[in-house]
Amino acid sequence: MTIPGQKTTIEYNDHVVRQFMLASMIWGAVGMLVGVLIATQLNFWQANFATSFLTFGRLRPLHTNAVIFAFVGNMIFAGIYYSTQRLAKVRLASDFLSALHFWGWQLIIVAAAITLPLGLTRGKEYAELIWPINIAVAFIWVVFAVNFFWTLARRNEKSLYVAIWFYIATIITVAMLYIVNHLSIPTSLLHSYPIFGGVQDGLVQWWYGHNAVAFFLTTPVLGIMYYFLPKAAERPVYSYRLSVIHFWSLVFVYIWAGPHHLLNTALPNWLQLLGMTFSLMLWAPSWGGMLNGLLTLRGAWDKLRTDHVIKFFVAGVTFYGMSTFEGPLLSIKPVNALAHYTDWIIAHVHAGALGWNGFMAAGMFYWLAPRLWNKPLYSKSLANLHFWIGMTGILLYVAAMWASGITQGLMLNDTAEGGTILKYPNFLDTLNAIRPLMLLRVAGGGLYLTGFLIMGYNMWRTIRGASAVNGSIEVYVERHTPDEIMGTKGTFANAPVLFTIFGVGLACVWLFTSGWVNILGFFALALCVLLAIGHYETRGTSWGAWYDKLLINALPFTVLVFLAVAAGGMIQIIPMLTIDRRLQTEDRVASVYTPLELAGRDLFVREGCYNCHSQMIRTLVPDVMRYGTYSRLGESIWDHPYQWGSKRTGPDLARVGGKYNDAWHFDHMQNPRQISVGSNMPTYPWLFTGATDYAALPAKIRVQKMLGVPFPNWSPALIDTLAKDQAKQIAKDLQAQGRYVDADKEIVALISYLQCLGKKWEPTGAATATGTP
């Protein structure tokens, strides 16, 4: 116990730091190994092993969750706990909460590693975990937040350093994003439906998905950069003022950019324009942060040749700059028309995950290990070998996917004879063209994994036989009043806050109105900006004094961060939630699924088919020529979750219903190469032996009715009868075509769903489906 008013020696809790660091390396190796496996599966279908829990559709979510939440998650917890104790000059508030955080997070990872290969999924990218695990994630995140903010409340350093700003933004924003996007209603212990559907679900998903990248993979690692890079370089941060601008502009602007994942789709145009505009604005703060990191090395560039830690940090920050240049570029509509649904996006995300996060993690681990175990690194030569093998691997990977993606985009969009026909009508033509590049990706990923394993061996030899040590510091414990540390007095009623609030409000008036109100909003915004500049020029010292006080008061700082990140989400999402669904359907709306079709749709989600197939025909001429009439909002209005997809390893399925007979789908799932020569799609033999879960349908339909889907008031007995009668009819049709299967098998339910796609779309008020318009 520390006593105010005297000097005391504080021993940090570095035990939990070591635990998170070692867990990050272990899970990182697992996640990357799975990544190499699924990349191999895209080249050789045999690597799916005809086993349900080892198919690409089920392992791809395992790979993404392992890299994001297991590898990077454990890494950022290690970095945050290590640096926060030093920056606050206090031990973590609770050893119990620290241990609960560590073991709880590992149990969540294990649960994900078990459930995802079993096909237990919510069917939304980066948000696949089933509802019981989601509750556990939220609980452990609250444990982390309590431990962190409790530590800040007990700190012996009054002012909050830059890195802590980014940690606060991470904790607050990830909690908001995760809770909203994972709102679901359970149908059973292991299954649920998200409360949002169709375009609403798509918008909320990419508000979450894009900003999970921003506030889980970017802001905490930027905080780590602001602490560890100056430590490694033995230089102060290049510019404190640039740090302030970087932080506030990044946390405010980033949250608006999610709709750029849905460009050229059925998403309302104003949201597409909003996402593109704010994405382009991200160039400034992102590159400001990159330059602040690189320029911190001024006068220490000689270390780049000799210091393995600096090598990794510089490479990581450079990849951050490259990725944050490429992201806004990809949000420009014409560029997005070429790149979206292709491997270019895969190159982009891996440059960030492996180049930015992976190299920053390696640099941090190499810097931490000698200090946490009080022993020099076993081999600097191996660390340098890791760097060059990893760099070669990620460059091969990214270059291969760039070339592959651009090739895909050009071929799929290419037309002939004056734009009247597709030059490459067969989707498999693109697959065959990029096979060498897909194989090169496996080689690049394998090299990166090899470098990571070298680091693991180096760390093992370093800590073997070493004695773990906890850092300590002698501090003078001052007496602080609650208002000094967590007070709010004078924080909000001041010029900087008021100018910002009025500026954002007037900007919204300008962006979201028309006519004379739009003109008035523009001039009012311009006047507000001029007044703010004038006030700052004349009373800049008061702005600085206010910010210095803000950095002492953790609570109001946190509140302002929340307001900055919540504004963008509310302005995007609330209009889509409040507009009546009838106004979102244009002139057409989808009719509800039959019970058997709903069962088949859940099988489609279970198998991860959305990882390869989209159900969104964009408003682009080549898309319409290839797949049929572009998708409208009304088509997916009852879909929980939505299935618009984000990658086309196979063709779009929005209009596949009725395009082929039942026997075609039967053969295609049994042996895709029998139907599509050269296909890399896995076989699905378990669908022909597994029984459709009819018993679950009443609960599923009851929940869908709660969500607003207009199912009739069917009794459980009628639901069972309707599903089985339709299954018997499909089985009878298959038998007539020479395919024999019991009516209760899963393949029959899946065929019913595939055959209804595009045929459920009918004029509003129509009594029966009339087929694809």
Side-chain angles (χ1 to χ4, degrees), residues 16-242:
V16 72
V17 177
R18 285 186 287 272
Q19 288 180 311
F20 276 118
M21 174 179 159
L22 294 176
S24 177
M25 289 191 290
I26 293 169
W27 290 119
V30 172
M32 294 174 199
L33 179 62
V34 175
V36 172
L37 172 59
I38 62 175
T40 303
Q41 291 174 334
L42 290 174
N43 287 271
F44 307 103
W45 64 270
Q46 297 89 341
N48 291 274
F49 304 112
T51 303
S52 62
F53 52 86
L54 291 179
T55 60
F56 176 87
R58 296 197 187 184
L59 289 183
R60 197 261 185 176
L62 176 63
H63 165 62
T64 56
N65 280 270
V67 171
I68 295 172
F69 299 108
F71 168 48
V72 181
N74 280 296
M75 171 260 192
I76 65 175
F77 295 141
I80 288 173
Y81 277 149
Y82 183 89
S83 59
T84 298
Q85 293 183 91
R86 272 76 181 170
L87 293 171
K89 295 181 181 178
V90 67
R91 183 182 176 90
L92 289 175
S94 172
D95 291 349
F96 170 75
L97 290 180
S98 301
L100 179 60
H101 179 193
F102 173 77
W103 290 110
W105 197 255
Q106 308 318 307
L107 288 174
I108 287 168
I109 295 168
V110 171
I114 293 172
T115 54
L116 289 173
L118 291 176
L120 300 172
T121 175
R122 294 176 70 245
K124 298 174 66 173
E125 285 190 84
Y126 317 137
E128 292 93 349
L129 303 183
I130 56 177
W131 70 267
I133 302 178
N134 290 331
I135 292 176
V137 171
F139 173 73
I140 293 301
W141 196 259
V142 169
V143 169
F144 170 43
V146 170
N147 203 17
F148 177 82
F149 285 109
W150 189 6
T151 300
L152 291 188
R154 299 173 63 247
R155 68 187 185 274
N156 293 304
E157 177 63 47
K158 291 178 66 174
S159 186
L160 301 176
Y161 178 69
V162 179
I164 293 179
W165 309 349
F166 285 93
Y167 302 158
I168 290 173
T170 298
I171 293 172
I172 297 300
T173 312
V174 169
M176 177 184 70
L177 295 166
Y178 198 90
I179 290 171
V180 173
N181 189 55
H182 287 77
L183 292 173
S184 304
I185 300 180
T187 65
S188 68
L189 182 62
L190 301 175
H191 183 267
S192 66
Y193 288 121
I195 67 170
F196 305 109
V199 65
Q200 296 174 348
D201 196 37
L203 178 63
V204 172
Q205 162 60 21
W206 284 114
W207 170 74
Y208 160 84
H210 175 78
N211 291 299
V213 172
F215 289 91
F216 198 87
L217 301 179
T218 302
T219 54
V221 184
L222 285 170
I224 286 169
M225 178 197 79
Y226 273 111
Y227 178 82
F228 287 96
L229 183 57
K231 287 285 188 181
E234 298 179 329
R235 295 288 190 278
V237 171
Y238 170 69
S239 171
Y240 176 76
R241 178 174 292 186
L242 186 55

Side-chain angles (χ1 to χ4, degrees), residues 186-446:
T187 65
S188 68
L189 182 62
L190 301 175
H191 183 267
S192 66
Y193 288 121
I195 67 170
F196 305 109
V199 65
Q200 296 174 348
D201 196 37
L203 178 63
V204 172
Q205 162 60 21
W206 284 114
W207 170 74
Y208 160 84
H210 175 78
N211 291 299
V213 172
F215 289 91
F216 198 87
L217 301 179
T218 302
T219 54
V221 184
L222 285 170
I224 286 169
M225 178 197 79
Y226 273 111
Y227 178 82
F228 287 96
L229 183 57
K231 287 285 188 181
E234 298 179 329
R235 295 288 190 278
V237 171
Y238 170 69
S239 171
Y240 176 76
R241 178 174 292 186
L242 186 55
S243 302
V244 176
I245 297 172
H246 175 211
F247 174 76
W248 287 105
S249 56
L250 191 76
V251 298
F252 176 74
V253 173
Y254 229 131
I255 207 80
W256 298 73
H260 75 218
H261 288 263
L262 302 171
L263 297 181
N264 302 301
T265 68
L267 187 75
N269 192 60
W270 71 270
L271 277 166
Q272 296 188 41
L273 180 62
L274 191 72
M276 183 177 72
T277 301
F278 276 89
S279 297
L280 295 175
M281 291 167 62
L282 273 173
W283 265 328
S286 298
W287 272 54
M290 177 197 70
L291 293 174
N292 211 10
L294 293 179
L295 292 175
T296 297
L297 296 171
R298 66 197 186 288
W301 288 107
D302 57 312
K303 288 190 173 185
L304 185 58
R305 294 183 292 105
T306 59
D307 192 321
H308 55 284
V309 173
I310 295 294
K311 282 189 177 75
F312 279 103
F313 281 154
V314 169
V317 174
T318 303
F319 269 102
Y320 169 67
M322 181 184 75
S323 297
T324 52
F325 175 82
E326 187 180 35
L329 175 69
L330 290 169
S331 72
I332 300 172
K333 267 194 168 184
V335 180
N336 187 271
L338 172 69
H340 191 50
Y341 290 130
T342 76
D343 284 336
W344 188 346
I345 308 301
I346 306 302
H348 172 60
V349 298
H350 282 79
L354 300 181
W356 161 233
N357 295 142
F359 281 167
M360 290 298 293
M364 187 184 83
F365 294 159
Y366 281 125
W367 190 87
L368 280 176
R371 291 163 175 82
L372 293 176
W373 279 275
N374 195 28
K375 182 181 178 183
L377 186 68
Y378 169 70
S379 173
K380 293 182 178 179
S381 297
L382 284 178
N384 284 311
L385 179 63
H386 168 202
F387 175 79
W388 290 112
I389 289 179
M391 178 64 74
T392 302
I394 188 58
L395 290 178
L396 278 176
Y397 189 109
V398 171
M401 292 295 92
W402 276 338
S404 173
I406 293 171
T407 300
Q408 280 179 295
L410 291 174
M411 291 183 68
L412 290 172
N413 292 336
D414 200 6
T415 58
E417 297 185 17
T420 59
I421 63 170
L422 292 168
K423 191 171 182 180
Y424 302 98
N426 189 348
F427 192 94
L428 277 172
D429 291 340
T430 66
L431 179 64
N432 291 325
I434 63 175
R435 283 187 183 279
L437 297 169
M438 293 171 67
L439 194 58
L440 187 59
R441 167 173 59 180
V442 178

Side-chain angles (χ1 to χ4, degrees), residues 607-654:
E607 298 303 331
C609 302
Y610 60 88
N611 289 297
C612 291
H613 297 280
S614 62
Q615 289 181 35
M616 169 51 60
I617 302 173
R618 296 176 295 178
T619 55
L620 306 174
V621 171
D623 259 33
V624 173
M625 293 173 66
R626 186 178 301 276
Y627 301 116
T629 307
Y630 65 85
S631 300
R632 268 76 163 185
L633 290 182
E635 294 183 65
S636 57
I637 196 167
W638 312 127
D639 287 355
H640 298 264
Y642 87 119
Q643 292 287 278
W644 292 7
S646 63
K647 177 73 172 70
R648 283 176 179 164
T649 306
D652 186 275
L653 301 181

Side-chain angles (χ1 to χ4, degrees), residues 595-596 694 719-729 743-744:
L596 187 66
Y694 293 119
I719 291 172
D720 187 73
T721 299
L722 290 172
K724 289 180 177 178
D725 285 350
Q726 186 179 4
K728 289 175 183 177
Q729 184 58 51
D744 68 339

Side-chain angles (χ1 to χ4, degrees), residues 648-694:
R648 283 176 179 164
T649 306
D652 186 275
L653 301 181
R655 299 277 179 264
V656 76
K659 185 175 181 179
Y660 310 105
N661 61 26
D662 292 347
W664 187 96
H665 289 289
F666 184 95
D667 294 341
H668 188 237
M669 300 304 294
Q670 193 170 51
N671 182 6
R673 279 142 297 281
Q674 179 182 344
I675 300 298
S676 304
V677 178
S679 170
N680 280 337
M681 179 176 163
T683 58
Y684 292 88
W686 54 92
L687 294 176
F688 297 80
T689 57
T692 301
D693 188 2
Y694 293 119

